[in-house]
Amino acid sequence: MGVNLIQLFEALIKENRDSIYLLLRHYLSLNRSFLLQSSVWDEYQKLIQKEGTETAAALKPLESILARVQEAVINPPWIYLAIRPEIARWTYVRLHTEKLHYKETSVSEFLAFKENLVTGDGHQKWALEVDLAPFNRDFPKLIESRSIGNGVEYLNRRLSSQIFQDLEQGSKSLLDFLRMHQARGVQLMLNERLTNITSLRDALRQADKYLEKKEPETRWPEVSRAMHYLGFEPGWGDHVARIKDTMNLLSDILEAPEPANLSRFLGLMPMIFSLVVLSPHGFFGQANVLGMPDTGGQVVYILDQVHALEKEMRCRLEQQGLNIEPQILVVTRLIPESQGTTAHERIEHIEGTQNSRILRVPFRSKNGEIIPQWISRFKIWPYLEDFAAEVEREMLAELGNRPDLIIGNYSDGNLVATLLSNSLKVTQCNIAHALEKSKYLYSDLYWKDNDPEYHFSCQFTADLIAMNSADFIITSTYQEIAGNKSSVGQYESYNAFTMPGLYRVVNGIEVFDPKFNIVSPGADAEIYFPYTQTENRLQALHGEIDDLIFGGERDNARGHLQEKDRPLLFTMARMDKVKNITGLVDWYGRNERLRENTNLLVIAGHVDQSFSTDQEEREQIAYMHELMNQHDLDNQIRWIGTYLDKKLSGELYRFVADYRGAFIQPALFEAFGITVIEAMVSGLPTFATCYGGPSEVICDGQSGFHIDPNHGDKASSIIADFFERCTHEPEYWKVISEGGIRRVQEKYTWKHYAERMMTLSRIYGFWKYVTNLQRDETNRYLEMFYGLQFRPLAEKVPQPD
């Protein structure tokens, strides 16, 4: 859009010079250095309302640009604009507000201009710039924005044609890949009899003739001797019908390779027998951990993930005819001062699985002593390198071999996954859950102010390294990668940013890279199911739930619901700024219609701030009490400071649905929102933030509602309108309820998640073997970046005495 944009500016300035000057002068009059998208647009609206129809008509053609301005940076007489004409595509323009000169500029100059407003040092010509684009110049990339997040499909098509351009060479690569497969000392797929493509083709034809004479249900052991003689080992299937299907797929690929067949064939390959899931921070355990510092939905996500993956691994191994027990290790930090949790136990079996367990490895001080206490996720960076080395030793001893897949979680887990993957040469998958840079406004630009508490310089550097090192990246939604037409995706925000005085990123992560794949998690179907499934309801818990919501005083609660017959507006989250629980309480307190038609049920944090060890949470608790006093809410809000076990929380959702209530997730930003799908599948009409994953999970007005947490009055009016409509149209509640149930059951299940993950790991593992997906040049650059940038930053983070 660059050329068209400049041409549009030229035409507009020629025709409406005075009106454009008036607009730019209005922006200058605000005396603000930085304007975000909403401010750019809102101030434009204020101007045309003030100036009248003539100015509005003159500026009308400019709206198409203003609607796409993500940021304006102002230092009179200059205004720099970051314009996003399409998803994940950017243009930068500078304007002289007096002379009305305009010019398209580089991302480097735009970032330097921002830096100067923070540091006042002028243009730093030789600032360190991080630019990974040259390493990706010849690497295949997606072109269309709509394809972002479907990387594996694109990669399969592109690389299939690439490696099979020379059919003989491509076939040999596939042959070599099949021959290298072993599991725990057992040769799989092919043996030494098959040394070239000709012998493989001949063996496939002979096997087909032999198997044609057998009953389809005949098991592998009954044909294994003959198959071994032909050159085939276990792994093709558990019975003749499946063996033939797998072999026919391979024959078709060797004859005329097609991406769909190759993808299906790789999905049938016996490649994943053990995997490691990394989650170092917080208190990771199966009970009594939720609500502990840095411990929330990520723990629930990983445990549900492990249950689903083990089941899928076992199913595939059985179908492949292999009697091999899959293993999953969740590797986390051992915390001797475990505060009533199991975080002090080295090994813990994961309930509901056969062979999955939690392995805990301690952090150590510089002299090698175990650090006994919890450490904030913002301050764990000095320990991760030594932690990774110790994890490698413990993990190999526990598994007996290197794992077949390493999955990192969150920034710290992804960095440790990078260190382990590089050391062991194992396929690496990253899952961010949430990237802090998107949650804290200008956290990059003002990193020096934030570093004493948050150490974002370490985190953002670790993110860049881990993102670019991963073989593939899993996200829950498209939004997480590239946002939407009006908002920037979490990963997209890492493409260009600056930390003044440290380094400037001009090409940090390419969201058109085929490593990105959308694989949405689900809700545990045994716990979270519709309120209408009365035969599965936990009626025995209703007395406890009734007392929890409508009971009297208790140590961990505030408020008593006076009008018990009103519908419940329910929310449940951590008590921090981003989750915006206090924002919701303020909206509720200010909206008389909402107060007249609902009670508000809040399950969040602690009611007594002395029980919290987190400074931000303590501040939010104090503010919560202040709001309840200010709006006199003790008869309309029930605030419970406790964390519920899964079965109790599942029945609580359904209990609220019995009261024709609704769920609200008011976060300023939410990467996915597991509570959103839990509530929806339980049958609760759900209101959730329009920033992040929930805007993709919910179809607005059909399976729930989007709300803007930055406009609380409007959000509370939307909720009040819903409850008022339900009063006059009782069936409307049911329409939205059923729409939410259908949406989750069709799109968000752990079974689909596990199937997709297992297929992705095989496909990326194959391409890593037969091509340079390891990107050696990129890795060498990242190793240098780690040594020269990350390690010194991590060493500066204070360690406990």
Side-chain angles (χ1 to χ4, degrees), residues 48 78 142 159 169 186 348 428 504 566 579 603 694 726 732 788:
I48 61 176
W78 295 102
L142 305 164
L159 294 185
Q169 183 57 44
V186 177
E348 180 182 353
Q428 174 191 351
R504 179 188 305 154
R566 290 178 179 173
K579 294 301 183 183
I603 297 181
C726 290
Y732 185 58
L788 297 180

Side-chain angles (χ1 to χ4, degrees), residues 596-648:
E596 288 172 4
N597 287 288
T598 66
N599 288 319
L600 180 59
L601 172 63
V602 177
I603 297 181
H606 299 278
V607 175
D608 185 343
Q609 66 184 102
S610 66
F611 286 100
S612 174
T613 58
D614 184 275
Q615 179 59 32
E616 185 176 303
E617 183 181 46
R618 288 198 297 271
E619 292 171 357
Q620 290 292 296
I621 292 169
Y623 186 39
M624 183 80 160
H625 285 293
E626 180 183 327
L627 287 169
M628 289 187 70
N629 293 335
Q630 176 186 332
H631 297 300
D632 191 21
L633 294 172
D634 278 299
N635 290 327
Q636 293 180 283
I637 289 184
R638 178 71 160 176
W639 173 23
I640 303 166
T642 189
Y643 284 81
L644 311 178
D645 66 61
K646 290 176 67 175
K647 289 192 175 184
L648 185 59

Side-chain angles (χ1 to χ4, degrees), residues 23 150 328 388 421 781 790:
L23 175 63
N150 294 312
I328 300 178
S421 177
Y781 181 90
F790 175 79

Side-chain angles (χ1 to χ4, degrees), residues 479-551:
Q479 303 264 342
E480 195 176 334
I481 310 169
N484 54 37
K485 290 181 180 179
S486 59
S487 65
V488 179
Q490 288 189 71
Y491 281 98
E492 185 184 359
S493 74
Y494 277 77
N495 188 51
F497 67 95
T498 180
M499 290 192 282
L502 189 60
Y503 58 80
R504 179 188 305 154
V505 178
V506 295
N507 283 288
I509 185 67
E510 175 59 77
V511 297
F512 288 93
D513 192 306
K515 70 171 59 181
F516 286 101
N517 292 273
I518 301 166
V519 186
S520 301
D524 186 337
E526 294 183 4
I527 303 293
Y528 304 103
F529 52 84
Y531 74 100
T532 52
Q533 293 182 12
T534 53
E535 68 279 6
N536 297 325
R537 295 282 300 269
L538 303 174
Q539 299 291 338
L541 295 177
H542 284 203
E544 181 180 349
I545 293 172
D546 189 274
D547 183 64
L548 192 72
I549 299 172
F550 300 113

